[in-house]
Amino acid sequence: DYAGKRNVAKIVDEDQKNYVKVAWLGNPTLPTTAADCDAIPTCYSVSDGCICDTAVSDTSVFGKSSDIGSAFDLYSKLFTGAVLTSDDHRSLGHCGIQDVVVYTTSLNDSCSNFSTETVFSFKDHQNIQRNLKNMVSTVTIVGLNDAKFRNV
């Protein structure tokens, strides 16, 4: 951040080959040589690394409004933003969560049944409006089932 207005997340590192460090879930065994990489059917080696197929899985974080104590719970566990549109989203109201308005695009959602389509709208501790989807997105390296990271 050259303007000095916001702090850049610590996962961003100009010295990393991929620019953003991956926050692995657990301690996966990753291929370290071209031979290790090529031995995995869903991967192939390149001059400076290993490229593998990936699979993305999206799951709900909160199941119902009583699972949420405050907007801080949302801010600390949800990382996927959402754009709210009046044509697509309907309001479920506050659902008993102070300073939060709940929206959804799913006809099955209610305050007692949230899905990955549920969006929580609130102002964070810096008074910035946040619209966060009720989901965690996990990326798995196909062929290496212990190699997973949270997609943020």
Side-chain angles (χ1 to χ4, degrees):
D1 173 24
Y2 295 110
K5 305 245 182 218
R6 300 209 189 260
N7 292 327
V8 175
K10 294 182 188 214
I11 63 169
V12 175
D13 185 352
E14 292 178 9
D15 296 328
Q16 291 287 319
K17 184 186 305 183
N18 297 323
Y19 192 65
V20 176
K21 293 184 211 175
V22 173
W24 293 103
L25 302 173
N27 191 18
T29 303
L30 301 173
T32 56
T33 67
D36 290 344
C37 178
D38 292 333
I40 303 166
T42 56
C43 301
Y44 61 93
S45 59
V46 293
S47 63
D48 61 349
C50 183
I51 297 177
C52 300
D53 291 342
T54 59
V56 179
S57 170
D58 296 333
T59 56
S60 298
V61 176
F62 300 101
K64 57 191 176 299
S65 61
S66 60
D67 294 341
I68 303 166
S70 68
F72 180 77
D73 291 341
L74 302 170
Y75 188 69
S76 64
K77 294 181 179 160
L78 303 178
F79 301 102
T80 305
V83 176
L84 292 174
T85 61
S86 59
D87 292 338
D88 296 329
H89 292 85
R90 65 182 176 93
S91 174
L92 298 177
H94 294 282
C95 290
I97 310 165
Q98 186 175 350
D99 300 324
V100 175
V101 179
V102 182
Y103 295 90
T104 186
T105 59
S106 171
L107 296 175
N108 297 322
D109 280 6
S110 67
C111 293
S112 59
N113 184 38
F114 293 152
S115 72
T116 57
E117 297 303 313
T118 306
V119 176
F120 302 100
S121 182
F122 61 94
K123 290 193 176 181
D124 69 11
H125 62 284
Q126 295 177 327
N127 207 34
I128 297 171
Q129 186 67 40
R130 302 287 180 179
N131 299 315
L132 299 176
K133 286 191 84 170
N134 181 40
M135 66 179 240
V136 59
S137 183
T138 305
V139 178
T140 301
I141 308 301
V142 176
L144 294 171
N145 290 334
D146 68 332
K148 299 178 182 183
F149 61 91
R150 182 160 183 180
N151 195 15
V152 292

